[in-house]
Amino acid sequence: MRIKSFLILVYGTAGLFIASITAFMTFLIIEEPIGYKMGSKIVLTVVLTTPVVILISAVTGGLFARHINAIAERLEKIAEGEYGTDLSGSAIKELATINDVSNRLSQEISTLLGSLKARNEELSMMLLTFSHDVRTPLMIANGYIEELEDNLVPSERLPAVYEKLKNENNYINELCNDILTYQHSREKESRVNDAILVQPIADEVIALLDAPIVNAVDPSISFAFNVIDLKKVLINLLQNALKYAQSEEIKIYSQDAEIIVEDSGIGIEPVHHSKIFEPFYTVDSSKNRVHSGFGLGLAITKNLCRRNQCLIQYDAGYERGARFILSKSSTS
């Protein structure tokens, strides 16, 4: 039975019952004996009241039925994966509450499914990239192992072979570390952000990288940044510069309360500017062993900056190499 028919039946039955009781009680109160004449008047009263009761029941039932049917249709659309339509409001408080809850449920499910879809695509890309990047070092290592097993490597080549095996192992280890670091950078846990001076942190990172990098950061410049996160950001930016600038000049300096990492290397072509902070995106599509990797460094950097209420941007107008700018977020 549909909701409208059900409500008409319920309201109609209740109305007729009330009309009958009212008529009966009216004649009972005036203490007149209920004879044939009185009985016929009671029946006539109930009969004349019936169309009015049915009409009121139909209007009321139709009103409720429209709202309830709209809710049912909306829930069916949600079940079918359609989340874009919102329910209109209602003057009835309870129905308005149901409408609001249905709309919020639809929006939350849509957001959740969108996030899960993006996450699933990201995981798929991670697996594909990992299988692609790890295959080469494994094949190289396996080839050397087979040569060692068959005693095909002369003694004078053994140190070089062992060094090559170590390098391939280190490369695989770096890929695994990239994945773990990227996953950790996506977490949004609260951070203890102290105002820390950037110059000594940059000195530590440069010493760790053991590279000729110029540190011209103003000693007074400080950022509200988690220390470990800031070190990871600077390491990623400077390693990226070392990878592509090679022997060209690399420097980190401050300007207008911003931290700038700049090199005079080959730079980044405009076609890549909008995508360099996306995970798994690499400028070098050849996947050679010099510049290969997951393409997670800048994605990790972006996540860490966002987690610390800071911004990292690529200066597309800089034409003498590559320049990245770290600044404080306007909302921090």
Side-chain angles (χ1 to χ4, degrees), residues 111-303:
T111 301
L112 178 61
L113 288 179
S115 176
L116 289 175
K117 182 179 179 181
R119 188 65 171 156
N120 182 63
E121 292 176 353
E122 184 177 285
L123 289 174
S124 297
M125 179 64 71
M126 182 180 294
L127 289 173
L128 289 173
T129 307
F130 183 80
S131 63
H132 182 283
D133 279 17
V134 82
R135 184 182 296 115
T136 299
L138 286 177
M139 290 177 62
I140 293 173
N142 186 61
Y144 280 120
I145 291 173
E146 289 180 354
E147 288 186 15
L148 289 171
E149 288 178 339
D150 296 336
N151 295 319
L152 298 177
V153 181
S155 58
E156 63 272 15
R157 282 190 58 218
L158 284 177
V161 170
Y162 290 143
E163 184 65 25
K164 186 65 175 177
L165 288 173
K166 288 180 182 179
N167 290 338
E168 301 304 325
N169 180 72
N170 290 336
Y171 178 75
I172 295 174
N173 187 56
E174 288 176 4
L175 292 180
C176 294
N177 286 336
D178 278 352
I179 294 175
L180 294 175
T181 303
Y182 176 70
Q183 294 301 317
H184 178 69
S185 72
R186 287 173 53 86
E187 298 173 3
K188 295 183 175 62
E189 79 273 16
S190 59
R191 311 295 291 172
V192 179
N193 296 337
D194 299 321
I196 55 177
L197 297 174
V198 178
Q199 187 194 50
I201 300 298
D203 279 336
E204 291 183 29
V205 172
I206 292 172
L208 178 65
L209 296 176
D210 190 22
I213 300 171
V214 177
N215 182 4
V217 176
D218 187 328
S220 65
I221 295 294
S222 65
F223 268 62
F225 222 101
N226 179 270
V227 176
I228 297 177
D229 287 353
L230 181 58
K231 287 183 179 180
K232 290 178 180 177
V233 166
L234 296 183
I235 287 173
N236 285 338
L237 292 177
L238 292 173
Q239 278 185 332
N240 198 65
L242 288 169
K243 182 186 296 184
Y244 292 100
Q246 298 177 356
S247 61
E248 302 296 332
E249 182 183 30
I250 300 172
K251 61 180 178 179
I252 176 172
Y253 62 96
S254 54
Q255 180 176 297
D256 299 329
E258 297 176 334
I259 304 300
I260 300 174
V261 174
E262 178 182 292
D263 65 65
S264 56
I266 60 176
I268 300 175
E269 295 181 5
V271 69
H272 302 298
H273 290 175
S274 63
K275 300 180 180 180
I276 56 176
F277 290 104
E278 294 180 5
F280 313 110
Y281 187 83
T282 55
V283 173
D284 185 1
S285 60
S286 64
K287 295 291 183 180
N288 62 66
R289 297 304 305 278
V290 177
H291 295 162
S292 62
F294 263 15
L296 290 175
L298 292 178
I300 291 170
T301 298
K302 180 180 179 180
N303 288 342

Side-chain angles (χ1 to χ4, degrees), residues 318-331:
Y318 185 68
E319 298 179 350
R320 296 192 300 273
R323 175 188 284 167
F324 290 87
I325 302 173
L326 175 63
S327 60
K328 300 173 183 178
S329 173
S330 58
T331 60

